Amino acid sequence: MRRYGSCLLLVLVGAAVLRISLLSDLYLRYVQAALRPYLVVSGVLLVLLGTAMAAVRRTEREAPKEDAHGDAHETGHEAAYGDAREAGYEDERGDTREAAYGEARETAREAAYEAAYGDVRGAAYEDAHSDAHGDAHGHGHGAAGPRVAWLLTLPALALLLFPPPALGSYSAGREAAQRAAQGVGAFPALPAGDPVELTVGEFGSRAVYDSGHSLKGRTVRMTGFVTHGDDGTWYVTRLLVTCCAADATTSKAEVRGAADGAPPVDTWVTVTGTWYPKGKLGTDGAWPPVVDASEVRHVKEPADPYEKR
């Protein structure tokens, strides 16, 4: 079975990619929606490649068996007639020739049987069946290596059965408050009507860099997951991506005034409230921005958990 290990890995990984991209929206935990077709094509190619490799290796495995049978019959035929001829001509003493020929023929038959079904068969089938039976006496390191290599299928199988969750509070907490290098300036006016729907990233950009104070006097509503800070502070947080989860950065807003206090970490909430100005625009004193919450509502994690930069 070890010769099929790499084939199985390819099929499992391809099936996992197809499961998250073709059969569900789980791929949005890792990449943007525009990359879905590429994931589907990659998954199909991996499955086809693994299947084709398995078929080729099966063909290669069966070929030596046929060659072994052919060589065995040819060797037996040659041994039978060669030994008989040699034994027959060796004794040329008249009356004993018939007896010598009979004895030689019997000896040749035994030699042919041994050659055809003994050494040749053992040599031919030893390689063909080594994958199934292994080394019975534990000699050498070749058999142990492939058996350990089968453990590589476990991550691929886990990826197929249990896709990893989206990045959350742990990833957000590891990253310092890195923000886009944008200068202070006027932002476009917000849409009319309250509450105005904003992403956490949009709220943070306007709170820290908008010289026109477009958030002043407006009620905003934004959705994110909960992260905790020091001294009982907590934040509504989102991860921003450009391409995939590997380049994610953090955007967050401190929530104050929530009637029920801080929800558990990684809980998804929709926060409605007003901007609370602090610090000088464009400085670290203005970060993270603050929202005075009038309502905090628990919600389900969205299918696409990331905001786009």
Side-chain angles (χ1 to χ4, degrees), residues 130-305:
S130 61
D131 294 336
H133 297 287
D135 190 350
H137 299 287
H139 297 299
H141 300 284
R147 283 200 295 268
V148 173
W150 274 99
L151 295 177
L152 293 174
T153 62
L154 297 181
L157 189 60
L159 181 63
L160 175 63
L161 300 177
F162 311 105
L167 300 180
S169 59
Y170 176 75
S171 299
R174 292 179 59 199
E175 181 182 339
Q178 297 177 353
R179 298 174 296 282
Q182 60 186 99
V184 174
F187 280 60
L190 290 171
D194 286 336
V196 58
E197 297 281 351
L198 292 177
T199 66
V200 178
E202 290 171 341
F203 177 80
S205 294
R206 288 177 180 269
V208 175
Y209 299 109
D210 185 11
S211 60
H213 300 291
S214 57
L215 293 174
K216 187 175 182 179
R218 301 297 302 272
T219 300
V220 299
R221 182 162 58 205
M222 49 192 168
T223 298
F225 58 90
V226 174
T227 56
H228 288 178
D230 299 329
D231 303 324
T233 58
W234 68 278
Y235 307 90
V236 56
T237 308
R238 290 295 284 268
L239 292 168
L240 289 77
V241 300
T242 299
C243 172
C244 59
D247 61 27
T249 58
T250 305
S251 182
K252 63 183 181 180
E254 181 183 345
V255 180
R256 297 181 182 175
D260 297 329
V265 170
D266 285 326
T267 302
W268 280 82
V269 295
T270 294
V271 177
T272 303
T274 56
W275 171 50
Y276 178 86
K278 72 166 191 174
K280 183 179 178 180
L281 290 179
T283 67
D284 288 341
W287 178 264
V290 178
V291 57
D292 279 328
S294 58
E295 181 186 20
V296 177
R297 181 166 49 91
H298 291 229
V299 296
K300 284 186 176 182
E301 178 181 345
D304 187 354

